[in-house]
């Protein structure tokens, strides 16, 4: 198996030159930008809203212990079973155990990136359970046997023609290029699953400490059905999802929708706080909430980057990221792609194996500028680079910077360097772009910059002689 | 005013005309210029690659050399951001912390210096052609330099300024990124150039030569007739 | 409980790691943020001032709700009185050719469904899911309407359970104009006031009919939930 870095470089190189992919993603995200700007403009003060959201999450995360205890106790008081999982494998065991105990056959699942993170579906399938993704985009990528392309738009890399072919091959539906008809094919295929499923699994967008409720944001109604019909409901969420107060949703729901999809608020925002209560007519008999750490506490232990736990997974930083827009979501090889993925993956999966994601950035800062909770994303990429170099420096690169430091700190050396450069320049041009060219990384696609006969400093010296 | 001009390393070697243009402009405005011989590089390449200790070796020298400068002017948003934003971070908790904060306060990106410090927008420049402005990311997002270059360009006689859709989108240079991930960098450059082409502009102007070095290299290779030029060179023409 | 695990111990381990991690103080959000002692948290009373503006008169609120509904493709009808609302309901039933409806018992829904005169599945006390799936519409009341976003607020206790408003292909909400609140902060304040002593197991904000944009970011209504949402509100 290739290492994460070589896989990334290979895939990135291929995707960056794939003009069809570029066109598809640029078009989709331009549409997003237009509606997002309309929705942002409707806020009386988007910047102040960001500040308030950042402060709310800051408070939530920096008192995470008390908020989690409050959240769990309130849930338990309403008859919910709260499970704590330090690792991905513990979370898989807990969920697998519940399903086994219920002697369930089929599981209907609504979109949950945390479930992707712990590779829940393959684990459950190995135990012999059928798991059906109910979000349309997730259903499409599940049929294709691939990972979601984007944390909010899982199937944005596919055209309707490709989806039509997929449904035709896997479901035997007639071919159609109408998004409406394709959606109805999925709706019909999934209806039966909801009604017969024994277990419904959801993720959560927020965990309200004050009331002991999770909040699920969606547009399709699939999560609501997953939480209404099966006899057992399980919600899997990371410990960082907390918000202190119920009314915090008044700010976060519209901000999540605006930043994530250019909607004022999504179609369904639902809070769940327990199984069916005595005075209620439906809902699951059992409700389980699984709280997942999976190295989030390691990120918490880094005060400099702790704000990365403020993330509400809106995907806005992916949408504006010129790297993401050119290499696409799958290239990252991670659950969380784009800028937030490049920041947190080294913490969740090891800095030295994933530092290339922090290097693969022009540090343009579009992500930080758009983040609704003001995570200092692009500066954290710098921090990851610093930490990676400090932990395991590249001997060559460090040597190069040491020599460079001497060169620029010694005027004679710098002047000599320029003269050598000018002498070498005609030869460099001769080899330019060929495999013999040491600057091939540059010259393969770009001409060399000019090298005039007199530098600025030489001109200045001559003038003031 | 005595202005200390810091022409960054690659501009010194590859784009001397930018520095010369600034000397002309500032002298015309009646200011005295000095260019310390020993200030060459801001230390950003090592800093951005994560080699902060190696970067500090360079930056300490810059701090020392510019210790007594009244106003430091840099014709690059990127190198300007290094001095103004990242020196304070690089030297946080180090003996030079106060000096870094002090230098940051005295440092100006060239267009901001003209517009915000000197209060000048009309330099009597003449430049024929249709131009679009590329916002270098560091200038735009670290220094919040958005209006200054546009206010200067609006006053240039004969120049028609048109905005491109992707004005604020990164060109893909990103320092060592352009060599470490050349194909991503190239794709980003292509997106930028095609947005500039859509405006029908003859020129892409920027206050950052590093972006333009990458973009011009790409345009030349692809035979694209669009030309790039630094803001200072436009403003110096009469 | 899952056999062989001790949930308490894992809970304590995680909380222990959190407490250890939080010993290091984080700077406030933003680049070069300051480390402050005892940050008091956000000023929640300001949230309304940042969110989209809505006037506070009845007229302004109904205009905002109507505009949001038009954007969302919610069929919103604001009528003078209860009798007109029933007429509207009957005309929708006729247009859509309803054969069977699902609802829950309240004074308003009892009366409305009585006037419709169609076979009715009542969710109160439990129901058969397959039977609800065969209903043409779910008719419910709500806890509030939110002018700012065109949102309907209802709960599992007050809105006929969890499935009534999402399983049938059409959801009809019967509301009184006094239920209109100005914005989202007001809606959450109302939920807290009404249920603070014991929250239902589900509370939901419904904003328009079910939708998806998962295929080429093109909007399609009725992804899994109702394709149609009708809000009938009387003075």
């Amino acid at each position: 198996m290739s290492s994460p870095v070589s896989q990334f470089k290979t895939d990135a190189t291929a995707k960056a030159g794939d003009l069809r992919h570029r066109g598809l993603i640029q078009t989709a995200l331009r549409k997003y930008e237009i509606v997002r700007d309309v929705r942002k403009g409707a806020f009386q003060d988007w910047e102040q809203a960001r500040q308030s959201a950042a402060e709310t999450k800051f408070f939530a995360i920096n008192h995470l212990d008390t908020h989690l205890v409050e959240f769990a106790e309130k849930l338990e008081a309403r008859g919910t079973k709260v499970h704590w999982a330090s690792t991905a494998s513990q979370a898989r065991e807990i969920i697998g155990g519940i399903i086994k105990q219920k002697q369930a056959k089929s599981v209907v699942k609504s979109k949950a990136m945390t479930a992707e993170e712990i590779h829940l579906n393959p684990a459950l399938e190995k135990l012999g359970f059928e798991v059906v993704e109910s979000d349309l985009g997730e259903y499409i990528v599940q049929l294709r046997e691939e990972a979601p392309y984007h944390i909010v738009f899982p199937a944005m890399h596919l055209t309707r023609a490709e989806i039509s072919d997929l449904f035709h091959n896997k479901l035997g539906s007639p071919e159609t290029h109408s998004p409406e008809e394709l959606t109805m094919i999925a709706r019909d295929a999934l209806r039966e699953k909801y009604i017969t499923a024994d277990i419904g699994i959801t993720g959560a967008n927020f965990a309200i400490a004050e009331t002991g409720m999770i909040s699920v944001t969606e547009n399709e109604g699939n999560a609501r059905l997953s939480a209404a019909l099966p006899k057992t409901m399980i919600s899997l969420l990371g410990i960082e999802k907390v918000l202190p107060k119920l009314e915090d949703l008044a700010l976060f729901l519209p901000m999540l929708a605006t930043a994530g999809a250019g909607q004022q608020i999504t179609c369904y925002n639902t809070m769940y706080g327990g199984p069916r209560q005595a005075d209620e007519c439906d809902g699951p008999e059992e409700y389980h909430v699984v709280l997942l750490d999976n190295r989030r506490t390691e990120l918490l232990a880094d005060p400099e980057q702790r704000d990365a736990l403020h993330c509400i997974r809106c995907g806005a930083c992916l949408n504006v990221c010129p790297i993401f827009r050119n290499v696409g979501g799958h290239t990252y090889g991670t659950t969380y792609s784009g800028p937030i993925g490049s920041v947190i993956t080294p913490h969740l999966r090891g800095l030295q194996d994933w530092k290339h994601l922090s290097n693969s950035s022009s540090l343009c800062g579009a992500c930080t500028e758009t983040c609704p909770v003001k995570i200092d994303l692009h500066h954290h990429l710098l921090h990851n680079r610093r930490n990676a170099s400090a932990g395991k420096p590249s001997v060559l690169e460090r040597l190069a910077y040491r020599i460079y430091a001497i060169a620029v700190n010694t005027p004679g050396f710098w002047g000599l360097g320029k003269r050598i450069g000018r002498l070498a320049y005609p030869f460099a041009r001769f080899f330019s772009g060929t495999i013999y060219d040491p600057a091939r990384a540059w010259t393969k696609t770009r001409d060399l910059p000019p090298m005039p006969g007199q530098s600025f400093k030489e001109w200045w010296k001559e003038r003031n002689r | 005013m005595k202005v200390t001009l810091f022409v960054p390393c690659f501009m010194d070697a590859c784009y001397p005309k930018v520095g010369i243009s600034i000397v002309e402009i500032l002298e015309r405005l009646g200011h005295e210029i000095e260019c310390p011989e020993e200030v060459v590089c801001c230390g950003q390449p090592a800093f951005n690659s994560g080699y902060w200790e190696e970067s500090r070796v360079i930056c300490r020298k810059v701090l020392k050399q510019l210790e007594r400068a009244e106003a430091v002017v840099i014709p690059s948003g990127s190198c300007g951001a290094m001095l103004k934003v990242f020196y304070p971070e690089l030297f946080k908790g180090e003996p030079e912390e106060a000096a870094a904060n002090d230098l940051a306060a005295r440092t100006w990106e060239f267009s901001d210096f003209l517009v915000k410090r000197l209060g000048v927008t009309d330099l009597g420049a003449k430049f024929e052609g249709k131009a679009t402005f590329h916002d270098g990311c560091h200038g735009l997002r670290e220094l919040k330099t958005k209006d200054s270059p546009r206010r200067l360009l609006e006053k240039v006689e004969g120049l028609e300024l048109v905005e491109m859709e992707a004005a604020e989108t990164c060109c893909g240079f990103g320092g060592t990124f352009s060599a470490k991930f050349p194909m991503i960098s190239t794709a980003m450059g292509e997106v930028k150039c095609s947005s500039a082409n859509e405006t029908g502009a003859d020129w892409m102007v920027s206050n950052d030569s590093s972006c333009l070095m990458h973009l011009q290299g790409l345009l030349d290779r692809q035979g694209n007739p669009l030309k790039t030029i630094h803001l200072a060179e436009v403003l110096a023409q009469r | 409980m899952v056999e062989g695990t001790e949930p308490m111990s894992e809970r304590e381990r995680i909380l222990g790691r959190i407490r250890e991690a939080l010993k290091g103080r984080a700077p406030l959000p933003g680049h070069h943020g300051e480390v402050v002692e005892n940050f008091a948290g956000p000023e929640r009373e300001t949230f309304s001032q940042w969110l989209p503006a809505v006037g506070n008169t009845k007229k302004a609120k109904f205009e905002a709700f109507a505009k949001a509904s038009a954007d969302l493709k919610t069929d919103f009808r604001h009528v003078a009185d209860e009798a007109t609302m029933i007429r509207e309901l009957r005309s929708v039933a006729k247009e859509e050719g309803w054969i069977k409806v699902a609802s829950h018992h309240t004074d308003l829904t009892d009366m409305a469904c009585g006037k419709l005169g169609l076979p009715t599945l009542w969710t109160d006390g439990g129901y058969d899911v397959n039977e609800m799936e065969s209903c043409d519409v779910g008719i419910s009341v709500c806890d509030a309407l939110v002018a700012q976003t065109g949102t309907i607020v209802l709960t599992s206790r007050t809105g006929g359970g969890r499935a009534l408003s999402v399983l049938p292909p059409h959801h009809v909400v019967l509301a009184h104009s006094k239920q209109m609140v100005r914005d989202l902060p007001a809606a959450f304040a109302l939920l807290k006031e009404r249920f603070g002593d014991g929250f239902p197991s589900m509370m939901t904000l419904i904003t328009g009919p079910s939708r998806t944009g998962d295929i080429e970011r093109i909007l399609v209504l009725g992804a899994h939930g109702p394709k149609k949402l009708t809000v009938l509100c009387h003075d």
Side-chain angles (χ1 to χ4, degrees):
Chain A
M1 219 174 108
S2 64
S3 68
V5 59
S6 62
Q7 175 264 322
F8 178 83
K9 284 195 167 177
T10 309
D11 293 358
T13 300
K15 271 285 180 284
D18 179 347
L19 296 181
R20 179 185 164 280
H21 174 265
R22 190 188 294 177
L24 201 64
I25 301 307
Q26 296 283 358
T27 307
L29 290 177
R30 262 184 214 158
K31 268 191 210 169
Y32 154 84
E33 284 169 352
I34 292 165
V35 286
R36 176 205 60 193
D37 288 346
V38 170
R39 291 307 176 189
K40 263 166 76 169
F43 273 68
Q44 292 174 76
D45 197 326
W46 174 256
E47 285 309 312
Q48 288 285 2
R50 288 178 76 213
Q51 184 62 28
S52 288
E55 289 177 3
T56 306
K57 266 306 219 182
F58 177 85
F59 190 81
I61 294 294
N62 283 283
H63 299 86
L64 185 57
D65 50 342
T66 50
H67 287 131
L68 277 178
V69 169
E70 190 183 8
F71 172 69
E73 284 175 355
K74 294 272 168 65
L75 268 170
E76 283 160 350
R78 244 177 268 109
T80 306
K81 176 79 191 117
V82 179
H83 307 260
W84 301 71
S86 286
T87 63
S89 73
Q90 282 178 6
R92 290 193 298 262
E93 274 166 35
I94 290 166
I95 295 170
I98 297 165
I99 302 176
K100 259 193 240 168
Q101 199 193 21
K102 295 280 125 196
Q103 299 181 318
K105 284 183 191 65
S106 68
V107 177
V108 64
K109 189 166 152 288
S110 69
K111 187 170 165 42
M113 289 312 292
T114 324
E116 297 289 334
E117 176 187 330
I118 67 165
H119 304 289
L120 181 63
N121 288 7
L124 295 182
E125 281 157 12
K126 224 171 162 182
L127 293 172
F129 306 118
E130 186 200 12
V131 186
V132 179
E133 289 290 347
S134 55
D135 172 87
L136 177 60
E138 293 282 342
Y139 182 59
I140 292 166
V141 295
Q142 187 187 32
L143 288 178
R144 281 173 61 92
E145 296 173 31
E146 65 183 13
Y149 178 91
H150 182 289
I151 62 177
V152 175
F153 315 130
M156 76 177 296
H157 59 306
L158 301 172
T159 62
R160 60 186 98 177
E162 287 166 308
I163 295 165
S164 170
D165 285 349
L166 176 75
F167 284 180
H168 178 71
N169 293 334
K170 299 267 177 171
L171 306 172
S173 58
E175 288 185 33
T176 168
H177 286 188
S178 148
E180 187 143 325
E181 285 175 23
L182 289 166
T183 303
M184 291 313 134
I185 291 166
R187 180 186 167 108
D188 290 343
L190 287 167
R191 275 269 134 167
E192 189 58 28
K193 304 282 183 192
Y194 289 118
I195 291 171
T196 56
D198 312 291
I199 310 268
I201 299 181
T202 76
N205 297 88
F206 304 103
I208 311 301
E210 178 188 34
T211 60
M213 287 172 184
I214 65 155
S215 174
V216 179
T217 288
E218 53 154 343
N219 275 309
E220 297 180 3
N222 58 309
R224 284 201 56 200
L225 287 167
S226 306
L229 306 181
K231 282 193 171 159
T232 303
M233 174 178 171
I234 304 170
S235 297
L236 170 67
L237 53 141
I239 53 174
E240 84 286 9
K241 291 289 174 194
V242 291
L243 285 178
K245 302 274 184 194
L246 182 65
E247 59 265 35
D248 293 338
L249 291 175
L251 183 67
F252 278 84
L253 298 179
M255 289 189 78
L256 172 60
T258 298
Q263 287 180 277
Q264 189 172 11
I265 185 171
T266 62
C267 189
Y268 301 106
N269 286 283
T270 311
M271 292 139 269
Y272 299 101
R276 173 184 182 173
Q277 304 291 293
D279 57 354
E280 292 172 358
C281 66
D282 61 3
E285 290 163 6
E286 270 185 37
Y287 183 37
H288 298 263
V289 167
V290 182
L291 289 168
L292 177 71
D293 178 353
N294 205 22
R295 296 178 80 166
R296 283 162 174 77
T297 43
E298 288 191 23
L299 187 49
L300 192 73
D302 180 356
E304 188 176 48
Q305 295 193 44
R306 187 176 292 159
D307 66 345
L309 290 168
H310 298 183
C311 178
I312 56 172
R313 306 282 187 259
C314 68
C317 63
L318 283 63
N319 298 343
V320 300
C321 176
I323 315 294
F324 179 91
R325 288 167 82 129
N326 282 292
V327 306
H330 289 144
T331 299
Y332 289 79
T334 58
T335 305
Y336 306 105
S337 59
I340 186 67
S342 300
V343 169
I344 66 174
T345 306
H347 294 268
L348 303 180
R349 294 174 71 177
L351 177 59
Q352 296 303 336
D353 283 343
W354 296 94
K355 63 183 177 189
H356 59 279
L357 297 181
S358 298
N359 289 328
S360 169
S361 166
S362 60
L363 303 173
C364 78
C367 47
T368 306
E369 184 180 61
T370 206
C371 176
V373 290
K374 296 183 88 161
I375 302 171
D376 200 13
L377 287 159
H378 73 295
H379 293 130
H380 292 335
L381 297 175
L382 270 172
H383 300 144
N384 279 343
R385 293 180 186 188
R386 178 201 60 204
N387 296 346
S389 303
K392 195 180 162 194
S394 145
V395 178
L396 267 180
E397 205 174 352
R398 189 170 57 181
L399 182 69
Y401 285 123
R402 284 183 179 165
I403 294 171
Y404 180 71
I406 296 168
V408 296
N409 276 2
T410 321
F413 208 148
W414 176 245
L416 180 69
K418 282 185 284 191
R419 285 195 292 277
I420 294 172
R422 283 198 283 268
L423 284 172
Y425 194 72
F427 299 98
R429 290 193 70 128
F430 187 71
F431 289 113
S432 185
T434 70
I435 53 164
Y436 305 106
D437 184 357
R440 190 158 183 267
W442 179 275
T443 53
K444 195 177 168 208
T445 56
R446 292 160 289 208
D447 282 2
L448 281 172
M451 188 67 78
Q454 189 180 41
S455 75
F456 173 75
K457 281 189 193 299
E458 287 158 353
W459 172 82
W460 178 257
K461 224 179 198 171
E462 190 180 284
R463 182 174 182 262
N464 294 289
R465 194 165 285 156
Chain B
M1 185 193 293
K2 189 161 183 182
V3 178
T4 304
L5 179 60
F6 182 168
V7 176
C9 50
F10 73 99
M11 294 174 79
D12 173 44
C14 305
Y15 303 102
K17 267 174 81 179
V18 178
I20 296 168
S21 300
I22 293 171
V23 171
E24 276 173 32
I25 292 167
L26 292 179
E27 285 185 343
R28 213 188 291 145
L29 291 170
H31 301 286
E32 190 192 334
I33 317 268
E34 63 161 11
C35 302
E37 168 75 9
E38 302 205 8
V39 177
V40 174
C41 173
C42 66
Q44 190 172 194
F47 174 77
N48 275 3
S49 300
Y51 293 86
W52 288 23
E53 203 37 66
E54 285 70 18
S55 177
R56 281 191 201 102
V57 174
I58 298 173
C59 304
R60 278 195 199 101
K61 173 133 190 183
V62 175
L63 284 178
K64 192 86 197 134
Q65 290 286 318
L66 300 177
E67 206 171 28
R68 270 183 281 277
E70 189 184 347
V72 178
V73 171
I74 303 189
S76 157
S78 189
C79 306
M82 185 65 197
L83 268 66
K84 278 188 87 63
V85 178
F86 296 111
Y87 274 24
E89 182 164 0
L90 187 60
F91 287 106
K92 201 170 173 93
E94 301 276 327
E96 299 88 348
E97 184 174 347
N101 288 329
D102 183 58
L103 175 63
R106 287 179 283 122
T107 301
W108 296 87
E109 183 276 328
F110 167 64
S111 67
D112 271 346
F113 181 71
L114 288 177
V115 176
K116 293 183 183 159
R117 178 70 180 77
L118 300 181
V120 183
T121 50
D122 191 347
L123 294 163
K126 285 184 188 140
F127 189 93
E128 283 302 320
K130 194 170 172 181
T132 190
F133 190 78
H134 159 63
D135 291 286
C137 299
H138 270 132
L140 178 70
R141 298 199 181 88
E142 305 292 352
L143 302 179
K144 316 287 176 214
T145 302
K146 173 84 185 171
D147 292 340
S148 297
R150 289 174 172 77
R151 290 184 61 192
L152 291 161
L153 285 172
E154 279 160 10
K155 292 278 163 57
V156 175
E157 199 184 315
L159 182 130
E160 185 195 347
L161 185 64
V162 281
E163 289 291 340
M164 61 179 140
E165 193 187 298
E168 293 188 1
T169 304
C170 179
C171 69
F173 173 65
T176 51
F177 166 76
S178 62
K180 286 183 179 170
F181 298 92
M183 297 318 287
I184 309 176
S185 169
T186 298
M188 288 160 70
E190 286 172 355
V191 170
K192 187 92 210 183
C193 292
S194 74
S195 183
N197 279 143
E198 278 167 25
T199 64
D202 316 301
W203 296 92
M204 180 150 45
V205 185
S206 182
N207 50 350
D208 235 319
S209 292
S210 49
C211 308
L212 298 182
M213 171 169 77
H214 158 73
L215 291 168
Q216 189 65 60
L218 198 60
L219 292 165
D220 287 345
R221 181 62 60 87
Q222 301 194 345
N224 191 323
L226 184 67
K227 295 178 289 283
T228 65
I229 187 167
H230 190 282
L231 175 69
E233 291 180 75
V234 176
L235 297 179
Q237 298 211 12
R238 328 196 58 167
Chain C
M1 195 200 292
V2 182
E3 279 175 4
T5 60
E6 290 172 9
M8 281 306 288
S9 69
E10 221 44 59
R11 176 184 188 272
E12 287 315 314
R13 269 189 212 121
I14 291 175
L15 289 172
R17 283 198 297 272
I18 292 171
R19 286 173 188 137
E20 188 58 35
L22 289 178
K23 283 180 183 164
R25 311 298 288 274
L28 285 175
H31 192 218
H32 294 178
E34 293 289 312
V35 175
V36 296
E37 295 295 321
N38 302 321
F39 175 66
E43 291 174 28
R44 295 187 166 82
E45 58 279 10
T46 62
F47 290 177
S48 273
Q49 297 166 35
W50 322 142
L51 293 169
V54 188
N56 208 14
T57 62
K58 184 184 170 191
K59 184 168 173 275
K61 286 189 271 191
F62 273 84
E63 278 173 6
F65 193 92
K67 187 182 175 296
S69 296
D71 287 348
L72 293 159
K73 306 202 188 328
T74 300
D75 177 12
F76 171 55
R77 307 181 193 190
H78 181 202
V79 296
D81 52 28
E82 210 174 84
T84 321
M85 181 165 87
I86 300 301
R87 273 204 301 280
E88 292 288 335
L89 179 68
R90 290 179 67 166
S91 88
V92 177
K94 207 174 159 192
E95 261 170 56
E96 302 285 328
W98 294 345
I99 295 166
K100 188 173 180 183
V101 306
S103 190
H104 63 123
H105 288 303
T106 67
D107 291 347
L108 189 59
T109 46
D110 285 353
M111 191 268 291
C113 293
K115 299 268 184 188
L116 277 178
L118 293 169
T120 305
L121 170 73
W122 299 100
T123 61
D124 312 70
Y127 58 91
D128 178 57
V129 172
N130 287 299
E131 198 183 339
M132 187 189 280
E133 222 275 318
S134 70
C135 291
D136 299 298
V137 62
I139 300 172
S140 78
V141 297
C142 66
D143 287 280
L145 302 175
V146 187
Q148 186 174 50
T149 48
T151 297
I152 295 130
V153 183
L154 59 79
T155 78
S156 47
R157 192 185 298 158
T158 54
R162 294 192 183 195
L164 179 65
S165 55
V166 75
L167 187 61
H170 192 162
H171 178 207
V172 174
V173 180
L174 306 179
H176 189 282
S177 60
K178 279 186 184 150
Q179 292 183 297
M180 183 71 77
V181 300
R182 185 179 179 181
D183 59 8
L184 290 167
F188 283 102
L190 181 141
L191 283 174
K192 246 175 151 166
E193 193 193 314
R194 187 164 296 171
F195 302 112
D197 296 336
F199 284 100
S201 72
M202 183 211 77
M203 308 196 290
T204 189
L205 274 59
I206 300 170
T207 310
S210 158
R211 61 197 56 222
T212 185
D214 274 347
I215 301 173
E216 291 187 18
R217 313 284 321 119
I218 294 164
L219 177 70
V220 176
L221 296 184
H224 291 294
K227 291 172 205 181
K228 285 195 177 122
L229 175 64
T230 304
V231 179
L232 303 178
C233 182
H234 74 87
D235 282 335

